[in-house]
Amino acid sequence: MILTPEIDHRRAAFVLGKINDILSWEKTKEQEKDARFVELGEYLCEVRAKQYWRIEKLKSFEEFLEKHFAESRRKAYYLMCVHEKLTCIPKCDLRQVGWSKAVELTRVARKDGEEFDSATWLHKAKSLPKESFKGEVERHLTGKETEPWEILYFKAYKSQLPVIEQALETAGLMLGSDKSRGYCLEMICADFLAGVSLEAGIYDALLPSLTRLVLGLPKPKIRQLLENVQVML
């Protein structure tokens, strides 16, 4: 039998009010939203641990997140993870590096456990640009060199999805099943740009597109292409 904790209604009202204040403040202060992410993560952990969501007549913490973080429940969990995993780093330092770098720090802390060198990684977070720091984290976690990356968001109508999915699937079959959908999309775009540039005679734009297409070929095919070009020249 799971025991339901006794709720301190006064404290619960204070915490829930603070969460609402911060979320409302974020909407009007978009450029400064990093400043209060540490505080928000701490309050969210308290709401989950002490079941303050019951004050709002909700059935679960998940329902609480659906209500208050409709756009991104994932962000809420990231904020909570920062609070739980980075207890060894002062809050003022976390505020200074910002929430996106703090999330990367949690990935390192989770992997390294008790061996997490918080001072070294905090210095890297403060001194490196965001994308460079993400690259450092990826190299530490995977042992591999990585390019900086971004997640793209754009709207596609349901009527457009079959064409998009078919194009990505076809590109995947041609390029190999080990290629990511992002890589397949790049090759589709490169092919389009190469065709348009050739037709319009824009050779400066054609060269980068052709280069990306050639690099997508298996090495034997690249050598064969180079030999054919040499013969034609």
Side-chain angles (χ1 to χ4, degrees):
M1 181 177 178
I2 300 176
L3 296 177
T4 302
E6 188 71 27
I7 292 180
D8 181 338
H9 285 257
R10 191 171 182 178
R11 174 65 184 176
F14 171 80
V15 170
L16 295 174
K18 280 290 186 180
I19 290 174
N20 287 328
D21 287 345
I22 293 172
L23 293 178
S24 175
W25 178 83
E26 276 195 345
K27 291 177 182 178
T28 58
K29 299 279 188 178
E30 185 64 25
Q31 293 182 344
E32 303 173 40
K33 66 181 179 181
D34 271 358
R36 300 183 71 179
F37 77 94
V38 178
E39 184 182 4
L40 184 55
E42 182 179 357
Y43 286 140
L44 285 171
C45 286
E46 187 173 344
V47 169
R48 181 177 61 180
K50 298 187 178 180
Q51 299 186 10
Y52 291 163
W53 41 266
R54 289 163 50 205
I55 296 293
E56 297 185 354
K57 308 299 182 183
L58 300 174
K59 297 178 181 178
S60 65
F61 181 66
E62 280 294 319
E63 194 171 331
F64 175 83
L65 293 184
E66 288 178 11
K67 177 181 177 181
H68 295 279
F69 291 82
E71 295 181 359
S72 179
R73 278 183 290 170
R74 179 180 296 180
K75 179 180 178 180
Y77 280 112
Y78 280 155
L79 296 175
M80 294 164 66
C81 190
V82 167
H83 173 68
E84 293 175 329
K85 296 294 183 182
L86 301 180
T87 55
C88 55
I89 299 179
K91 293 180 181 179
C92 58
D93 288 320
L94 289 176
R95 293 189 187 97
Q96 187 176 345
V97 301
W99 91 272
S100 58
K101 285 185 178 180
V103 169
E104 295 299 318
L105 285 172
T106 64
R107 299 176 65 201
V108 179
R110 188 185 295 114
K111 175 181 182 296
D112 292 356
E114 294 181 359
E115 297 180 358
F116 175 52
D117 186 350
S118 59
T120 298
W121 280 102
L122 180 61
H123 174 72
K124 290 181 179 181
K126 287 182 176 180
S127 59
L128 293 174
K130 182 170 67 173
E131 292 304 322
S132 299
F133 181 64
K134 284 186 176 181
E136 282 288 318
V137 171
E138 287 298 326
R139 281 190 288 274
H140 179 72
L141 296 180
T142 66
K144 300 178 181 178
E145 293 289 331
T146 62
E147 283 189 70
W149 56 270
E150 290 186 13
I151 298 176
L152 301 179
Y153 295 94
F154 56 89
K155 181 173 72 174
Y157 293 104
K158 289 186 177 180
S159 60
Q160 297 172 316
L161 292 179
V163 176
I164 296 171
E165 289 291 342
Q166 185 177 358
L168 291 171
E169 183 178 347
T170 302
L173 290 172
M174 294 176 64
L175 298 169
S177 58
D178 61 321
K179 302 298 183 183
S180 68
R181 288 166 69 86
Y183 181 81
C184 292
L185 177 60
E186 180 191 3
M187 291 301 101
I188 292 169
C189 294
D191 182 50
F192 172 79
L193 289 173
V196 171
S197 301
L198 183 61
E199 187 175 317
I202 309 174
Y203 299 112
D204 287 342
L206 175 62
L207 184 59
S209 301
L210 287 177
T211 301
R212 295 301 294 171
L213 287 170
V214 171
L215 290 176
L217 295 171
K219 288 184 179 179
K221 292 296 183 182
I222 294 177
R223 286 194 291 267
Q224 182 181 343
L225 176 63
L226 291 175
E227 291 171 1
N228 292 342
V229 172
Q230 287 290 340
V231 171
M232 293 173 65
L233 295 176

